[in-house]
Amino acid sequence: MWSKTGILPVRYLELANKVKNAARYFFILSLLLLTASKPTHQIDALPQKFLLDIPSNLSDTLPVPARNPLTKEGVKLGKMLFFDPVLSGNNQISCATCHQPSRAFTDGLALSDQGESGKPLHRNAPSLVNLAWHKGLFWDGGASDLESLVFGPLTHPDEMGQDLHALVQELNEKAVYRKMFKSAFGEDTIYSALVGRALAQYIRTLISANSRYDQFVRNEPGANFSGMELKGMETFEQKCGSCHPFGKGNNNFFTDHQYHNNGLDSTFPNESEGIFQGRFRITRDSTDMGKFKTPTLRNIALTAPYMHNGRFATLEEVLDHYDSKMEYSSTLDSIFYEDEGRAGISLTEAEKEAIIAFLHTLTNTAFVQNYANKAGLDIK
Amino acid sequence: MRCSLLFSFPGTNCRTSFRAPGILPVQVGSRHCGPRQARCWWQPRLYDSVLHAALFVCVCLLVFSTGKAHAQPDGKVVIRLVHTMHGEPLALQSKTYENAAGNRFVLEQFKYYLSNIKFRNTRSGEFYLVPESYHLVSVENGKHIYEIELKEVKPGTYNEIEFAIGVDNAKNTSTDRVGALDPANQMAWNWHTGYKFISVTGKLLAEKEATPEGLVLHVGFDENYRIVQQTLSQLKLPSLVVEEGKTTTVEIAVEVERLFNQPNVIDLAQNPVIMAGEPARQLADNYQEMFVVESVE
């Protein structure tokens, strides 16, 4: 009754055989079940990673939050939303109404009254160029990221005046949007956070660093500066380069992304929820009173009028202000104090002319034209 | 060399090729048994079956696991928040209230975030953190009681309840969120990324002027996050016992007059709009004191 191996009795061996056979079949069956029971949505295509060509003199990488990587589907959807007036309460105002591609995403107005209520805003529409590298957004850095920022202009009664519950309902009723949100985010229902993320993805692709200046600094063929432009660049670096840095390597943003009081006002009233107080209303630090973010000077020839409330219509007025019209206050940036104790940046008429000639080389015509005809980046 | 697991089928003999049901015969090789071996080199032995069974169990666990951390079945807890003003149910858009500073006002909206609910047993150290605990508590006209239903609470005996008023820093730095934190709920600021922890609006009735002034209390930002801790034994209440299939209700009195009076007396005539700075901090210290657990049953 013992098996040939002499270890186990025959009865056990028969049982073992049965167990073995059963186990084999179950193993194969479970493998089949595993492959067959895969839920169908896993078979759908995932959004494709969007690879951007960032000009070498701007940066090596594009800062992107982990929760919202750039994908082709996301950028495409964001672009569609950006130009669609359905995003506003009255379905007549789109993001592009105040951020027009032909003006490097500004609107040519000092303080827009194109919002739903018709009331003028208190701040000038900033250019949306190269925002991915900004840490704080808005003139006072109040928004921490693009995904959160967009809900501000979307819902403000003086801007797009939208109710987000109503917006997602409207979008969910459109088959085109349902399909696009599904391919971008894998969700069957559209909700507010996804609208914010799609717009953020598109805005991150608004990269401008291919102006005549950029071609010159990258030593590209045909990129030549006139004598006046060269002189302007030199003067600009001396007089303006601390807050509007540029140069070799990759700090070519023409903004230090910091907040400064540049002598536009001497007092800062606290009406309208502190909007005239600049960075102070965000940090509650009194040394930040009246400080506003250094804007980029890229495409500056296209983004008049200038300053956080659009008070200067021309670049000449801006330089006149710096030269002789600065106002004193306790938080005026110390960089403006000259040897005699006077506040300002002394500029001769010739220097002003040269600087303005240089500033015109910062216009990235190709960028503006690409976006102006709503083609944007060629997303295949 | 042993035969691979997949190619062992019942009824194989010592052969160089074999046929399995529905599958074409496969040539394994020309090697054959030695004369003394009871089984061929490619025929599985008992340990193969054990290996198969073990693999099957592992696969089953992978496919069918629900990822549940605890083995015990869960109970349910309902947090019932009863909002009163001077002992009466809080009424919106109707009753005129007066605070310790002598301001007279009517409230129109009363909403706040209650989050990060925790149950603790301070003796055993046992605790339960409610996952993704963000609740937008809202008092409506005619509805002064708000209930938060917590399903799947880990069974245990808890003598301390903790929760926060506001949104913790980790979630307060961006507002592209869902559920209670969805910006569609109109609790996200549009000029400074973050959530309003309380949103209390109404009308301040001035003594002399005919037109009432707008009352806007929007308090948020990390410095105004407040934690409320209630030790049940100190309140002469029984412990919260959570059992499978059982629902326990924790009733919490929310005494809204404390928002304006204790510990700081808020003068709304001086500050009808409070969004930041010292007045906001005072309101935060006050709203921390609004909550008292009344009963556990």
Side-chain angles (χ1 to χ4, degrees):
Chain A
M1 269 54 60
W2 293 100
S3 71
K4 283 188 189 164
T5 57
I7 296 166
L8 296 162
V10 174
R11 268 184 301 123
Y12 276 109
L13 224 109
E14 278 165 4
L15 186 63
N17 236 351
K18 288 197 176 80
V19 168
K20 175 187 65 187
N21 294 337
R24 277 183 204 143
Y25 277 123
F26 275 122
F27 177 64
I28 304 295
L29 189 68
S30 63
L31 275 181
L32 290 168
L33 275 174
L34 190 65
T35 49
S37 69
K38 223 177 160 177
T40 47
H41 71 250
Q42 284 182 12
I43 300 171
D44 292 344
L46 291 167
Q48 299 167 66
K49 190 166 178 188
F50 190 97
L51 297 163
L52 265 175
D53 223 348
I54 304 166
S56 58
N57 66 319
L58 196 63
S59 180
D60 297 322
T61 52
L62 184 74
V64 169
R67 71 185 187 282
N68 193 24
L70 283 193
T71 65
K72 282 190 188 175
E73 289 80 358
V75 171
K76 223 164 144 179
L77 171 59
K79 185 175 91 168
M80 190 157 157
L81 290 167
F82 190 89
F83 290 97
D84 195 343
V86 79
L87 254 59
S88 59
N90 63 7
N91 288 350
Q92 283 169 20
I93 308 161
S94 71
C95 308
T97 305
C98 299
H99 295 286
Q100 301 158 17
S102 58
R103 295 184 205 266
F105 295 88
T106 60
D107 58 2
L109 300 172
L111 298 169
S112 175
D113 58 355
Q114 299 299 297
E116 201 176 84
S117 68
K119 276 171 63 185
L121 300 179
H122 296 297
R123 297 221 179 123
N124 177 266
S127 171
L128 301 186
V129 146
N130 300 340
L131 286 187
W133 287 275
H134 287 233
K135 293 231 165 37
L137 298 155
F138 288 148
W139 282 102
D140 53 19
S144 62
D145 51 35
L146 288 166
E147 284 80 358
S148 307
L149 175 153
V150 295
F151 300 117
L154 272 176
T155 59
H156 199 289
D158 301 339
E159 299 186 51
M160 292 168 81
Q162 180 62 281
D163 173 310
L164 292 172
H165 280 306
L167 174 63
V168 297
Q169 205 174 342
E170 268 179 288
L171 294 176
N172 275 310
E173 282 163 11
K174 293 178 191 258
V176 173
Y177 273 124
R178 277 201 314 272
K179 189 156 162 275
M180 289 183 81
F181 272 92
K182 172 86 179 179
S183 27
F185 299 109
E187 300 272 353
D188 292 317
T189 317
I190 304 167
Y191 48 88
S192 326
L194 298 181
V195 174
R197 289 181 191 183
L199 285 166
Q201 285 193 37
Y202 171 65
I203 294 168
R204 282 198 180 93
T205 66
L206 304 181
I207 296 174
S208 173
N210 215 16
S211 62
R212 275 189 55 223
Y213 156 79
D214 294 294
Q215 290 161 4
F216 175 79
V217 103
R218 292 193 300 254
N219 295 313
E220 284 172 23
N224 291 313
F225 267 16
S226 69
M228 173 88 96
E229 285 161 353
L230 282 169
K231 177 95 181 94
M233 184 161 80
E234 203 187 297
T235 316
F236 180 87
E237 188 166 22
Q238 267 174 38
K239 309 269 183 166
C240 322
S242 356
C243 298
H244 295 283
F246 71 102
K248 305 272 186 236
N250 60 16
N251 187 4
N252 278 292
F253 294 102
F254 287 89
T255 163
D256 59 356
H257 302 120
Q258 298 297 320
Y259 307 90
H260 302 280
N261 177 343
N262 64 345
L264 291 170
D265 291 303
S266 52
T267 56
F268 309 98
N270 74 349
E271 299 141 22
S272 302
E273 297 167 12
I275 201 163
F276 304 110
Q277 300 182 320
R279 185 85 177 133
F280 170 76
R281 82 167 178 166
I282 305 299
T283 62
R284 311 306 297 185
D285 182 341
S286 56
T287 61
D288 282 337
M289 183 63 72
K291 291 189 181 175
F292 293 88
K293 184 136 63 100
T294 314
T296 182
L297 298 184
R298 287 184 167 282
N299 305 300
I300 200 74
L302 304 175
T303 60
Y306 306 108
M307 300 298 163
H308 66 272
N309 53 7
R311 69 177 65 187
F312 299 132
T314 63
L315 291 170
E316 284 80 0
E317 281 176 58
V318 171
L319 295 181
D320 285 342
H321 161 80
Y322 281 117
D323 176 39
S324 57
K325 300 202 173 79
M326 294 193 85
E327 306 249 2
Y328 291 90
S329 63
S330 62
T331 53
L332 177 65
D333 203 300
S334 56
I335 211 162
F336 296 119
Y337 283 103
E338 298 192 322
D339 296 324
E340 306 90 58
R342 161 197 114 87
I345 307 174
S346 298
L347 296 164
T348 65
E349 289 309 310
E351 283 174 328
K352 288 180 192 173
E353 205 188 329
I355 287 176
I356 291 174
F358 169 65
L359 290 177
H360 273 77
T361 69
L362 302 183
T363 305
N364 190 172
T365 315
F367 164 81
V368 162
Q369 281 176 351
N370 273 344
Y371 285 90
N373 62 13
K374 293 192 194 173
L377 283 162
D378 197 9
I379 309 165
K380 293 198 177 57
Chain B
M1 192 185 90
R2 303 290 305 278
C3 192
S4 82
L5 297 166
L6 284 173
F7 289 98
S8 54
F9 284 95
T12 48
N13 295 316
C14 225
R15 293 184 261 153
T16 54
S17 72
F18 51 84
R19 177 180 285 279
I23 299 171
L24 295 168
V26 176
Q27 194 77 18
V28 171
S30 57
R31 293 195 54 187
H32 53 276
C33 283
R36 288 182 212 274
Q37 283 172 300
R39 308 176 80 73
C40 305
W41 61 267
W42 68 82
Q43 281 180 319
R45 283 158 170 82
L46 182 63
Y47 98 77
D48 285 309
S49 321
V50 173
L51 198 59
H52 282 173
L55 269 166
F56 167 61
V57 169
C58 286
V59 164
C60 276
L61 282 173
L62 268 169
V63 172
F64 301 116
S65 73
T66 56
K68 270 197 153 165
H70 43 270
Q72 283 169 302
D74 302 322
K76 207 161 111 176
V77 177
V78 172
I79 309 272
R80 180 183 291 145
L81 297 153
V82 182
H83 300 86
T84 59
M85 177 77 99
H86 304 305
E88 299 285 316
L90 181 67
L92 298 181
Q93 295 166 343
S94 45
K95 288 184 96 164
T96 304
Y97 295 119
E98 192 170 324
N99 63 6
N103 312 127
R104 286 170 59 246
F105 54 94
V106 174
L107 291 179
E108 286 164 359
Q109 191 192 80
F110 195 91
K111 298 202 284 188
Y112 57 94
Y113 276 116
L114 193 151
S115 66
N116 293 299
I117 299 174
K118 296 173 186 165
F119 302 126
R120 231 182 249 114
N121 183 318
T122 53
R123 278 182 285 276
S124 69
E126 218 186 317
F127 66 92
Y128 177 71
L129 274 59
V130 177
E132 287 309 302
S133 173
Y134 297 94
H135 317 277
L136 181 54
V137 180
S138 178
V139 172
E140 310 288 332
N141 232 344
K143 194 165 164 284
H144 71 289
I145 298 180
Y146 188 94
E147 289 190 346
I148 297 171
E149 210 177 74
L150 302 171
K151 299 181 193 163
E152 301 178 354
V153 177
K154 188 176 92 169
T157 304
Y158 306 104
N159 68 331
E160 191 175 86
I161 296 173
E162 186 191 291
F163 53 87
I165 302 303
V167 177
D168 52 286
N169 174 262
K171 293 278 206 283
N172 203 26
T173 49
S174 50
T175 54
D176 55 321
R177 299 194 185 279
V178 297
L181 298 176
D182 190 323
N185 294 329
Q186 299 179 339
M187 291 292 278
W189 263 300
N190 54 23
W191 53 274
H192 188 168
T193 303
Y195 290 95
K196 296 167 201 166
F197 295 170
I198 69 161
S199 178
V200 176
T201 61
K203 291 272 187 295
L204 183 65
L205 306 170
E207 313 290 323
K208 294 141 196 164
E209 282 105 285
T211 351
E213 206 176 338
L215 195 65
V216 179
L217 310 177
H218 284 166
V219 177
F221 305 120
D222 298 336
E223 66 199 24
N224 296 319
Y225 184 73
R226 293 288 182 273
I227 293 175
V228 179
Q229 234 175 32
Q230 301 274 291
T231 309
L232 299 173
S233 47
Q234 278 177 17
L235 297 165
K236 309 263 196 297
L237 291 171
S239 288
L240 169 63
V241 178
V242 180
E243 286 169 7
E244 184 214 352
K246 187 169 162 245
T247 302
T248 320
T249 302
V250 176
E251 188 166 299
I252 300 181
V254 188
E255 293 163 14
V256 178
E257 64 271 16
R258 288 174 186 261
L259 177 65
F260 303 99
N261 304 338
Q262 282 170 293
N264 303 296
V265 173
I266 310 283
D267 186 357
L268 297 171
Q270 291 274 343
N271 296 297
V273 176
I274 298 179
M275 292 194 186
E278 186 55 28
R281 262 191 294 278
Q282 288 185 345
L283 274 178
D285 289 338
N286 286 8
Y287 59 60
Q288 189 175 27
E289 301 301 322
M290 289 196 303
F291 303 87
V292 179
V293 176
E294 290 276 284
S295 67
V296 177
E297 6 188 277

